[in-house]
Amino acid sequence: MALSVRSWVANEGGKHFLLWLGGNTWLFMRTFLCYYYGQQYHYLHKMLGLGLCISRASASVLNLNCCLVLLPMCRTLLTCLRGSHRVTSRKARRLLDKSKTFHVACGVAICVFSAVHVSAHLANIVNFSVRYSEDFPSLNVARYKGEVTHTHTHKPDLRITGVLLVLILFLMFTASSYCIRVSNYEIFWHTHNLFVVFYVILMLHVLGGALKYQTNIEAHPPGCLRANQSSPDPTREESGQALGDGRSCKEEARFQPNSPETWLWVSGPLCLYCAERLYRYIRSNSPVTIVTVVRHPCDVIELRMLKKDFKAHPGQYIVLNCPSVSSFENHPFTLTACPTEKKETFGIHLRVVGDWTERFAELLLPDPRAESEILPMVQQRRYPKDGWRRFRLRRLYFVWVCRELQSFYWFAELLCALHRKLWQENIPDYLNLQLYVSQTDGLQNIPEERYQPLSSRLLIGRPRWKLLFEEIGKTNKHKRVGVFCCGPKGISRTLHRLCNSDRYSGTTFEFNKESFS
Amino acid sequence: MGKIEWAMWANEQALASGLILLTGGIVGVAGQFRDWQFAAYAVAAGVFVCLLEYPRGKRNKGTSVERTGQYCFTVCVKSFGPLTRNYYVRAFIHAGICVPGGFMLATILGCVCLGIASLIYLAAAIRGEHWEPILPRKDSARKPVADSINRPPQNPPPRPPAEMRRKRAEDLEGAAYVNPIPVTANE
């Protein structure tokens, strides 16, 4: 399928995070060259070779990514940023919406560079032993020459912190595949909470001080001859640097371990994230009252709740925790009614599908106390209340696909009220409603007279997305159309592909989606 | 709350450990360390573990997501019957495979990871889980079509006879109608 460059850039340009890639590359090359050419690492480099440069370069990239990986998870902070006046560009807001993708990208980078780092250090272990230095005994890590060789391996001194870090990373990585998140979210959540242990051990890991740099370069230029040395250093030509050049040394080379800088990178984001979790916990402690429970067809329950000082915008979601059902489980639900100045209650619609929702629904009939924790993430507005001209939205196409006809009753009142209101304000074409019933062998007609606007817009079968996109493209030429998808992965993938393709006469389609897994 | 399927996590871990073991083995053989026989063993063991763990099992409840192209592997693994169905056997196989990897520096990480996977398989086996192959669903789920499809209607739908349908010249008023769309002459 032909790719529309304009749409592709709108949908993927920010995603590739060229800045992030560039930053990683620059950091890697900078550290690599520092250890390759740096005078203070000359002797160490001679001993270890490329293993030194690669291990240190990958360590600095790991520092950067361990710092950045926590930031997209500070959701309260990101929401405040997204809603504030400082972020006015839509591109920046869409970039903030992709925070989970960025977190995954940093996580993958951490795993990849950990593998590189471990391999390079394995090579270093061998080289420390094979090239055990008699001249500079303080530089050595091996206890004696030949401790670890190609021919015989004693037990080398493996850093236990490194091994533990890799094991924790292994557990976290294997539990975070899509399949596990969808089927057993608790495994993912609890292994990911091991990040605290990971960071603590990381701070201990860098305290080892195995790699040392030379402190007295002026007094002892690397490669200079000593009093009892007759021939010049044979490897001098290979390293290609201007060295001591036969000058005699004023003093012996002195070495000092590198000072650890990981804590500089990591402590800021770690404190920020811990503060965020604390804030969420404190906010979640105030109780929530359930005001109304409404049963809808197809196992859907509408819940209206009241909480002090609760503010929300359309499109945000809340996370519910009900200790009587399960103390550790938190489930997200999009808000379907936000608190306004006139009415303070907020509401969600929840579908009874898994064991948590079943138990919760059973408890709802008496009146349990549910505490809720709010993790707002702002998306595009869907229900502008009044003053349509204020918003840049000119037309709204609402496509709703359900398996059974009764599902449309969940929001039938709301949709009909909106339709009537738009008629009265003389902008009936603002909202284009299309309802699809995908299972063709059930009921096919909404009989109620008051829902007549819905029954006349009801279509049987699945929507033909390509035709829909073509129609929207033709009627909105050279405009920007935002596509917002909330649904299963199949639809999401189809729509994403259609948004990027090139058949729509100059219209740009921007793809956004909401998913909780 | 609810049953956690440990086997799914153990499967992901075992696949990842197989890859780590394979990589470590390749490095060991390429570097020509003295114990390179262990590295060569690790390569073979890694490949075996990957082939065994590639096909995902079926979930007890809910939809199972297959790995790409896993059908042929599913058929191979299914053919071993109870050896691959039972997770106790898998736990012990992995525990046995991982031990020789511990003797060499390059493969020690694969050994530890496979050991952890083996422990989780043991936990899954104790909880009574077992491996079910994901096979393509047969299309018998469709409702059978009613028998009347073989007997289409013989008569056209009821309507009055042709004389009544024809417009009569006497009744011009009744025959006329107002065109909803204005008709203009062709220019």
Side-chain angles (χ1 to χ4, degrees), chain A residues 146-157:
Chain A
E147 183 185 21
V148 175
T149 65
H150 277 204
T151 53
H152 198 58
T153 309
H154 285 292
K155 269 226 168 25
D157 187 19

Side-chain angles (χ1 to χ4, degrees), chain A residues 350-406:
Chain A
L350 69 87
R351 187 175 198 160
V352 178
V353 145
D355 45 11
W356 190 88
T357 36
E358 266 170 25
R359 183 89 187 99
F360 189 49
E362 275 169 36
L363 289 177
L364 271 177
L365 296 170
D367 177 61
R369 217 187 105 236
E371 296 158 277
S372 81
E373 175 192 348
I374 290 124
L375 291 175
M377 190 162 96
V378 183
Q379 294 142 354
Q380 279 181 331
R381 287 167 184 266
R382 251 175 39 182
Y383 312 112
K385 288 191 290 272
D386 36 56
W388 312 90
R389 313 280 176 237
R390 256 196 304 143
F391 300 111
R392 295 174 58 186
L393 184 70
R394 284 281 160 261
R395 189 168 285 155
L396 180 61
Y397 292 84
F398 186 57
V399 178
W400 189 7
V401 186
C402 284
R403 244 187 233 145
E404 292 162 320
L405 189 82
Q406 288 93 334

